Amino acid sequence: MSYQIISIAGLLYILSMPVYIIYILTKNKKLGFVATGILCSGALIHIYGFIQRFKEMYSINYSIMRSIPITNLYESLVFFVMCIILGYLFIEWKYKNKSFGVFISILAGITIGITDLLGITKEVQPLVPALKSNWLLAHVTLSFIAYAAFAISFITALLHVIMGSANKRSFKYIFSTFLLGLMVFMFISVILDILTGVNPKSVKIFHSTLLNSSVILSIFSWILLTALIFLFWKFGDGIIKILQNFKITSDFLEDITYKVIAFGFPIFTIGGLVFGAIWADQAWGRYWGWDPKETWSLITWFVYAFYLHAKFIRGWKGTKTSMIAVIGFLVTIFTYLGVNLFLSGLHSYGSM
Amino acid sequence: MGKFNKWNDRVWNFFASVDLAVALFIIISIGAAIGTVIPQSIEPEPVIRFFSKFMSVSSAHKTYEIVSLFDLNNVYHSWWFTFLLFMFALNLIVCSIDRLPSLLKSFKTSTKPYPPEIFEKMPIKKTIEINNDKILEKVKEVLKKKGFLTHLFETSEGVQIQARKWSKTRLAVYLTHLSILIILSGALIGTFFGFRGSMNIVEGTGLNFAISDEGKAIPLGFEVRCDKFEVEYYENSGMPKAYRSYLRIIENDQIVKENIVIEVNQPFTYKGITFYQASYGFQPTEHAEFRFTYVDKTGKQYDINALFEEKFKIPGTSVTAYVIDFSPALGVDEEGRLFNMSTDMINPAVLVVFEEKGNKTQQWILSKIPETWETPYGKLRFNELWGVQFTGLQVRQDPGVPLIYVGSILMCIGLFICLFLRPLNYFITANKNKVTFYSQSAKGIIEKQIDEIIKEMKGDKA
């Protein structure tokens, strides 16, 4: 089954993370190639799994345009990770620079990992009537490509803020190191959750750590989380500055952040908002209806529009603009997952 | 008068500022986000129920009063949200009027030579030394070939060339902003000259009005009849695969259109009013009809339609039959008892009583299971129960939609030009054998282009 193949890809993404770390610490070029190799083979297996899933979808839907496997939450998360990895590999190849791979592998690991922990179905499902449209391909794929671009810009922007902040007491530094600590903790917790999950149907996110049934382990996890965040706050700038040995400068991060957003924003506008509006016009009889998903997409669009205006017109430079990119991705996550988990609306295909 | 002008300027500058745009981005976002959390309902109950999850019922009632005072239960149609959108449009217009003329002017007027100090501060600087008298011609030729517009100045330090390309792409920002205004005006036209509503039409009946979201009847000027409604299910599951309505339009007692089929994602438009398949439901009516096909022993087929408990003859026999029970989704529970699984027509079944000379037998006939069609008196296939489902249609008339499409297309074009075709500017100074390239922007493409130009010049020489 396709989801087993995709799980192997996820395992490889998780594996590449420690290799990237050792590469950065030892500066051993061979290890760098190994890390990229693991990530690449993960991506190839992932693409193979994606094609298998496509075939499985085709065997029930009999339509090429409507068999792209992005029709439920699991499939969309898988596609999202695939776009992040391919996008990152492209950047790594283009700029011959492989050191923010650690954080990409963390993000990919968490995302593939939580598909096991949210209790969502991994089975191939037939299409509901509302999704039977050729706009499915255009609207959904482009939206997730844009989300993936925003995810990559989030990583570079986060590193840029941490690297570029002179003052450890400034809000943006505290906030960014907090997010980084949280990400690393989630990465560890997701791995533990999956390893200790006996019955795959009842496992929940954080069940082995923060929400552990044993009070001692739970308290210990909270302490560990706090300690991790504190460590990142205390030594974050130092850790990130190691990256400067790898030509990852503040300017490079700022430039990549901008380029990825400049790529993602028009795709989001066309695929997410415009194609979404056209499809809604045909399927629901209105192009815009303030459905929670629509509203939050507009908010996401506003945040990135703000980023571009700040960049071009106000001449904001440095960490301030990158901070907008960080917040932009948090809003994107809410648009993507939060709306489906907490709010109800017409876009319920992605719910659990 | 002077004071008036000063105020005028202030108001103008306020609306022309990017700060206002940013403030509006933030306030509109927060307002819109509130609307996704608080239930958007004109009825008080859902709102109070929502707040009573977090507080006592009495404080939920008080909170509702505050909520309704600020229209937080109807954010997107509230006066303040409309006002914010209006401010946003005004901001865009004033910004454009404020900046566009100076940009247009910059395309026309020839620039003045810059003092060399400015160049020295630029982030990109590349020098080549070539012994060639015609070096200047060469530079101009290469630039022209690459599509640059050049201005040449003789200065005391040597020759200065200003080269620019794609500078008109700066207009794309205004195209993008214009597209937003077009979309907003399309939305405005839709609200004033269009309507939205819904209709639930039971199979076999018709309606000549729609119900608006506020509960008012909107006359359509013609009647929409639903001849038939059907749902297709995926095999062995209650998951709908497709549902469709067969409609006809009747205007002035005449049929104007027949056999219209609409499905989800396949609407139909008549006289500017569009009908969308939105939902369906179960609603028993008096005209509901059980439709059977009887096949006698010679293979001849007869269509039989009967009402509930209405007796009908089985052709060619002396048997009368009638329906005494119906189930839209017949299932069998663990103890072998029959039960109804849902009100959706997943597996319609009828209980038919056959009467022959006072002898009564009864049998369940399931429309999807051919084995149950066989009766002692021949094959009786149950086709459907017609007239117990209604089709839920969304109805809309919106003359603003073409503007929305135009605006959307312009926005895409504008954004792509803005973000991918950035203007390129070079400054070149030529002094004896030394040619130096400068550029203000630190973008990679420019550096690469300069390298290319230099290579081309050197290559030509060799």
Side-chain angles (χ1 to χ4, degrees):
Chain A
M1 294 300 275
S2 54
Y3 60 81
Q4 286 158 332
I5 303 170
I6 290 162
S7 298
I8 297 172
L11 196 69
L12 286 169
Y13 297 152
I14 291 173
L15 259 175
S16 72
M17 184 256 191
V19 185
Y20 269 116
I21 290 185
I22 301 168
Y23 158 68
I24 285 171
L25 293 178
T26 59
K27 293 189 199 171
N28 184 336
K29 273 199 172 164
K30 272 183 196 161
L31 274 174
F33 284 115
V34 173
T36 309
I38 296 175
L39 208 60
C40 278
S41 46
L44 285 175
I45 292 172
H46 197 150
I47 293 171
Y48 174 71
F50 188 78
I51 294 169
Q52 285 306 313
R53 189 143 186 121
F54 186 93
K55 284 184 185 163
E56 287 165 22
M57 291 282 286
Y58 187 79
S59 67
I60 6 180
N61 291 319
Y62 309 107
S63 158
I64 293 176
M65 290 293 279
R66 296 169 198 179
S67 293
I68 182 136
I70 37 174
T71 53
N72 61 25
L73 186 55
Y74 169 70
E75 289 169 354
S76 74
L77 283 166
V78 164
F79 182 71
F80 172 66
V81 172
M82 193 169 87
C83 294
I84 293 178
I85 297 289
L86 292 179
Y88 167 72
L89 284 172
F90 176 77
I91 294 171
E92 193 180 294
W93 167 77
K94 178 137 196 242
Y95 295 91
K96 309 279 174 278
N97 208 321
K98 49 180 69 179
S99 21
F100 70 94
V102 189
F103 305 97
I104 293 289
S105 59
I106 290 178
L107 196 65
I110 294 174
T111 318
I112 287 279
I114 57 169
T115 59
D116 275 319
L117 303 171
L118 289 174
I120 51 181
T121 176
K122 292 183 171 184
E123 299 297 332
V124 177
Q125 293 162 310
L127 287 184
V128 295
L131 290 180
K132 285 191 175 169
S133 163
N134 292 345
W135 288 107
L136 172 70
L137 184 75
H139 170 60
V140 187
T141 17
L142 290 180
S143 299
F144 287 119
I145 291 172
Y147 288 168
F150 295 155
I152 294 175
S153 77
F154 165 74
I155 299 285
T156 53
L158 200 65
L159 297 179
H160 178 227
V161 173
I162 295 173
M163 196 183 268
S165 295
N167 183 0
K168 277 192 184 177
R169 285 170 195 278
S170 67
F171 170 75
K172 48 189 185 189
Y173 180 80
I174 297 173
F175 189 68
S176 305
T177 48
F178 168 80
L179 285 178
L180 203 60
L182 192 66
M183 260 173 69
V184 173
F185 178 80
M186 267 187 86
F187 182 72
I188 299 166
S189 173
V190 162
I191 293 171
L192 290 175
D193 284 343
I194 294 173
L195 288 179
T196 58
V198 189
N199 180 358
K201 283 201 173 155
S202 64
V203 291
K204 287 228 165 66
I205 190 157
F206 295 132
H207 79 100
S208 63
T209 51
L210 301 180
L211 305 175
N212 200 307
S213 48
S214 144
V215 180
I216 300 168
L217 279 177
S218 168
I219 291 172
F220 176 74
S221 306
W222 282 104
I223 294 170
L224 182 74
L225 171 61
T226 321
L228 258 178
I229 290 170
F230 176 77
L231 282 175
F232 272 104
W233 173 76
K234 185 87 184 158
F235 304 110
D237 53 344
I239 297 168
I240 303 302
K241 270 177 188 134
I242 299 176
L243 295 179
Q244 285 181 336
N245 298 331
F246 296 86
K247 288 188 292 178
I248 294 242
T249 58
S250 188
D251 285 345
F252 172 79
L253 290 170
E254 193 175 354
D255 189 41
I256 295 288
T257 309
Y258 165 73
K259 277 188 180 145
V260 178
I261 290 177
F263 170 79
F265 184 74
I267 290 189
F268 184 65
T269 311
I270 290 194
L273 296 176
V274 174
F275 287 176
I278 296 174
W279 190 8
D281 190 44
Q282 291 183 1
W284 297 329
R286 83 287 186 296
Y287 50 85
W288 190 265
W290 298 106
D291 174 72
K293 196 73 153 189
E294 291 171 348
T295 309
W296 278 96
S297 301
L298 182 70
I299 296 172
T300 310
W301 192 79
F302 271 155
V303 177
Y304 286 105
F306 176 24
Y307 173 87
L308 292 174
H309 282 86
K311 193 102 186 162
F312 284 135
I313 298 186
R314 316 225 2 170
W316 275 15
K317 277 230 161 75
T319 53
K320 252 191 200 168
T321 43
S322 292
M323 203 52 201
I324 307 172
V326 170
I327 291 166
F329 183 62
L330 297 181
V331 176
T332 307
I333 295 179
F334 193 80
T335 308
Y336 182 2
L337 298 174
V339 170
N340 292 345
L341 302 181
F342 306 119
L343 308 171
S344 62
L346 285 165
H347 272 85
S348 52
Y349 328 110
S351 60
M352 302 198 299
Chain B
M1 203 62 199
K3 204 176 178 183
F4 178 74
N5 274 337
K6 204 173 140 198
W7 266 102
N8 226 358
D9 278 359
R10 265 195 199 173
V11 172
W12 183 262
N13 289 339
F14 172 72
F15 280 108
S17 70
V18 182
D19 296 76
L20 178 66
V22 168
L24 284 170
F25 276 166
I26 295 171
I27 303 170
I28 292 175
S29 297
I30 293 172
I34 291 173
T36 63
V37 177
I38 297 176
Q40 298 296 295
S41 151
I42 305 167
E43 303 287 315
E45 287 97 67
V47 185
I48 293 169
R49 209 182 315 129
F50 170 77
F51 280 107
S52 56
K53 277 190 252 174
F54 312 104
M55 53 185 78
S56 71
V57 178
S58 61
S59 17
H61 277 272
K62 272 183 199 137
T63 317
Y64 172 73
E65 275 167 33
I66 300 167
V67 162
S68 63
L69 183 68
F70 292 102
D71 276 339
L72 294 179
N73 54 342
N74 189 21
V75 169
Y76 310 115
H77 307 105
S78 67
W79 60 268
W80 60 268
F81 199 74
T82 315
F83 173 75
L84 286 174
L85 290 179
F86 176 74
M87 288 284 277
F88 184 56
L90 202 64
N91 183 221
L92 273 177
I93 296 170
V94 177
C95 263
S96 303
I97 297 175
D98 198 54
R99 279 153 231 231
L100 193 55
S102 62
L103 178 64
L104 288 176
K105 219 169 155 190
S106 78
F107 293 144
K108 281 182 195 153
T109 50
S110 59
T111 45
K112 285 175 200 149
Y114 289 111
E117 304 91 71
I118 289 182
F119 299 139
E120 292 307 319
K121 280 182 199 157
M122 289 186 181
I124 290 179
K125 183 184 167 190
K126 287 212 167 164
T127 306
I128 49 163
E129 280 181 49
I130 303 174
N131 270 322
N132 191 335
D133 300 334
K134 288 179 180 168
I135 181 72
L136 216 64
E137 304 300 307
K138 198 83 227 166
V139 172
K140 274 172 78 179
E141 197 191 309
V142 171
L143 284 172
K144 204 177 171 189
K145 217 167 86 192
K146 286 195 172 282
F148 281 89
L149 192 76
T150 51
H151 290 281
L152 203 134
F153 305 98
E154 299 274 353
T155 63
S156 52
E157 286 89 14
V159 178
Q160 186 185 108
I161 302 172
Q162 296 180 5
R164 60 189 186 197
K165 187 176 166 183
W166 291 341
S167 42
K168 293 228 164 54
T169 60
R170 283 193 188 163
L171 285 170
V173 177
Y174 297 95
L175 185 68
T176 313
H177 287 174
L178 179 71
S179 73
I180 296 175
L181 292 175
I182 292 174
I183 290 172
L184 284 175
S185 52
L188 212 62
I189 288 174
T191 1
F192 283 112
F193 302 105
F195 71 84
R196 268 176 58 76
S198 56
M199 0 182 15
N200 287 349
I201 313 175
V202 179
E203 256 180 331
T205 68
L207 283 177
N208 57 6
F209 62 90
I211 305 289
S212 76
D213 297 340
E214 289 82 37
K216 283 184 208 136
I218 309 159
L220 298 176
F222 52 84
E223 187 186 336
V224 185
R225 275 189 90 80
C226 174
D227 291 329
K228 190 174 157 56
F229 173 78
E230 65 182 14
V231 187
E232 248 181 83
Y233 292 92
Y234 282 104
E235 258 174 70
N236 303 322
S237 96
M239 195 178 157
K241 189 178 180 182
Y243 42 105
R244 59 184 74 90
S245 308
Y246 297 81
L247 307 176
R248 73 170 76 188
I249 305 275
I250 297 166
E251 200 170 2
N252 302 326
D253 295 324
Q254 295 208 314
I255 297 169
V256 241
K257 276 213 159 163
E258 263 187 304
N259 298 324
I260 306 155
V261 184
I262 69 165
E263 267 185 62
V264 183
N265 283 313
Q266 279 169 21
F268 161 78
T269 305
Y270 180 71
K271 286 201 166 170
I273 301 176
T274 312
F275 299 87
Y276 302 83
Q277 182 72 64
S279 63
Y280 59 90
F282 185 74
Q283 187 178 327
T285 57
E286 282 181 359
H287 70 266
E289 223 172 53
F290 295 91
R291 294 186 167 169
F292 296 92
T293 304
Y294 176 74
V295 187
D296 71 9
K297 296 201 168 98
T298 62
K300 207 176 167 205
Q301 296 199 358
Y302 303 86
D303 282 327
I304 299 170
N305 299 338
L307 300 176
F308 188 66
E309 292 183 330
E310 183 196 11
K311 292 193 176 169
F312 56 90
K313 278 219 165 347
I314 303 282
T317 66
S318 57
V319 182
T320 52
Y322 52 94
V323 175
I324 56 161
D325 198 3
F326 169 77
S327 163
L330 195 67
V332 181
D333 71 5
E334 286 160 358
E335 284 157 23
R337 283 181 306 213
L338 296 170
F339 77 106
N340 192 23
M341 295 187 296
S342 114
T343 55
D344 288 343
M345 296 277 188
I346 298 167
N347 184 16
V350 277
L351 185 58
V352 181
V353 177
F354 299 95
E355 220 176 78
E356 193 184 26
K357 294 168 196 155
N359 264 343
K360 279 188 192 176
T361 52
Q362 56 183 39
Q363 180 178 345
W364 275 103
I365 298 179
L366 284 74
S367 67
K368 284 187 184 159
I369 301 175
E371 293 85 61
T372 64
W373 304 342
E374 299 297 341
T375 74
Y377 314 99
K379 193 164 148 190
L380 186 65
R381 188 174 78 209
F382 173 48
N383 297 326
E384 60 171 331
L385 172 57
W386 177 85
V388 288
Q389 292 193 93
F390 66 83
T391 174
L393 305 181
Q394 276 287 338
V395 188
R396 183 196 70 177
Q397 182 175 37
D398 189 347
V401 167
L403 277 180
I404 303 287
Y405 276 69
V406 170
S408 301
I409 293 168
L410 290 182
M411 178 182 282
C412 297
I413 297 172
L415 269 179
F416 268 88
I417 299 175
C418 267
L419 292 169
F420 297 121
L421 297 176
R422 311 275 308 140
L424 298 176
N425 284 306
Y426 300 133
F427 302 94
I428 300 154
T429 57
N431 192 355
K432 286 169 195 161
N433 307 326
K434 212 168 101 187
V435 180
T436 317
F437 290 80
Y438 301 95
S439 180
Q440 232 161 359
S441 147
K443 287 194 64 154
I445 323 167
I446 292 187
E447 218 170 347
K448 223 162 95 190
Q449 281 233 346
I450 294 178
D451 286 343
E452 262 173 42
I453 296 171
I454 292 174
K455 214 162 136 194
E456 209 162 309
M457 287 170 57
K458 280 183 176 162
D460 276 355
K461 199 183 144 230

